[in-house]
Amino acid sequence: MPKCYRLSPSGLSLFVRVTPNAGRDAIEGVEIRDNETAVLRVRVSAVPDKGKANAAVVALLAKALGVPKSAVSVVSGETARMKTLDVVGDGAALALAVNALDSAPSSSRHPRA
């Protein structure tokens, strides 16, 4: 099964698909794309204007992964839905945290199949 991240010397690179201007902030789990790559689906209520949605994504993922916001940065896809984020820290521990995000239901309104 493809993973939505790649370990790096400084931590990991996380591949996300962002839905801005959503009704709530949520991490919806891993999605396998048509090209067989995996992305972490993230929804934020912030609008995609002047970096507000990117800041909301960074804050949401930092909290979920238990790292400071300064440890998370958007490295590609600044203005696109598909983004790559670098997360600085212990790569193995971060990978476990990302895997836990996929297994935990984000809302009772969206039960996992």
Side-chain angles (χ1 to χ4, degrees):
M1 174 145 175
K3 299 200 179 319
C4 63
Y5 60 87
R6 180 179 58 237
L7 293 176
S8 69
S10 63
L12 60 78
S13 295
L14 186 60
F15 310 112
V16 298
R17 180 179 188 279
V18 177
T19 302
N21 214 15
R24 62 193 170 89
D25 292 355
I27 297 171
E28 297 192 323
V30 176
E31 169 185 272
I32 306 299
R33 309 288 294 169
D34 291 340
N35 62 1
E36 298 299 316
T37 60
V39 293
L40 185 65
R41 288 184 51 102
V42 177
R43 301 173 73 82
V44 292
S45 57
V47 295
D49 181 46
K50 297 185 179 84
K52 291 177 185 164
N54 286 344
V57 169
V58 166
L60 180 64
L61 289 171
K63 182 177 179 184
L65 297 174
V67 297
K69 285 188 274 191
S70 60
V72 181
S73 58
V74 178
V75 292
S76 73
E78 280 280 328
T79 60
R81 285 179 183 262
M82 303 297 284
K83 301 181 185 300
T84 302
L85 286 80
D86 270 353
V87 185
V88 177
D90 177 356
L94 291 169
L96 286 173
V98 171
N99 290 333
L101 293 177
D102 187 40
S103 61
S106 61
S107 167
S108 58
R109 290 184 291 160
H110 295 90
R112 301 206 50 95

